[in-house]
């Protein structure tokens, strides 16, 4: 096991080495309520998590390491379905309904 001080030194060395790639400069924007500073993320953690879950699920089902075949055959809207795991997204989609079925019943088809 690495002693805590040595591990800390290694971690800070990595942060120093990749600082520019890990962190972006803040962006200042003007809004009606005044200036706001936004700290952008350098990575898209949500997409990374989506593909990690997709890869894990695919490996469990097929036993194959490569996702090439799976990614070519999935529906284009699969990432949107994964958004249903997000409570805020689901609340917007349901629009006051308790279930997706109830929401679909309220939708009217206009031809």
């Amino acid at each position: 096991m690495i002693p805590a001080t040595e591990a800390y030194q290694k971690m800070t060395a990595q942060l120093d080495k990749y600082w520019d790639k890990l962190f972006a400069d803040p962006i200042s924007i003007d809004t009606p309520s005044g200036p706001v500073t936004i700290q952008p993320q350098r990575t898209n953690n949500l997409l990374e998590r989506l593909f990690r879950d997709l890869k894990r699920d695919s490996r469990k089902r097929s036993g194959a390491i490569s996702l090439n075949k799976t990614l070519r055959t999935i529906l284009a809207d699969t990432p949107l379905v994964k958004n249903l795991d997000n409570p805020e997204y689901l609340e917007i989609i349901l629009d006051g309904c308790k279930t997706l079925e109830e929401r679909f019943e309220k939708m009217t088809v206009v031809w």
Side-chain angles (χ1 to χ4, degrees):
M1 183 169 196
I2 300 173
T5 55
E6 187 180 341
Y8 177 75
Q9 289 172 349
K10 286 184 177 185
M11 181 188 70
T12 55
Q14 287 291 94
L15 283 172
D16 289 341
K17 182 177 179 181
Y18 295 106
W19 186 266
D20 292 336
K21 295 178 182 178
L22 292 172
F23 303 102
D25 292 334
I27 301 169
S28 296
I29 59 169
D30 292 324
T31 67
S33 60
V36 174
T37 303
I38 299 172
Q39 182 66 47
Q41 289 185 336
R42 291 299 298 243
T43 62
N44 191 336
N45 290 327
L46 295 175
L47 277 179
E48 289 174 13
R49 199 172 312 144
L50 166 71
F51 283 110
R52 184 173 49 245
D53 291 345
L54 182 65
K55 192 173 189 175
R56 185 182 308 117
D57 292 344
S58 176
R59 284 181 175 174
K60 282 181 181 179
R61 276 194 307 276
S62 68
I65 293 174
S66 174
L67 271 181
N68 192 16
K69 192 175 193 179
T70 303
L71 289 175
R72 289 176 191 256
T73 58
I74 64 172
L75 298 172
D77 295 335
T78 299
L80 295 176
V81 173
K82 287 294 280 184
N83 281 337
L84 295 175
D85 293 338
N86 181 338
E88 293 173 4
Y89 179 83
L90 192 57
E91 185 178 330
I92 292 168
I93 295 298
L94 291 178
D95 193 30
C97 298
K98 292 180 182 176
T99 63
L100 281 173
E101 292 82 9
E102 185 180 331
R103 178 68 174 115
F104 283 125
E105 286 175 4
K106 287 187 174 183
M107 295 171 72
T108 58
V109 178
V110 179
W111 296 98

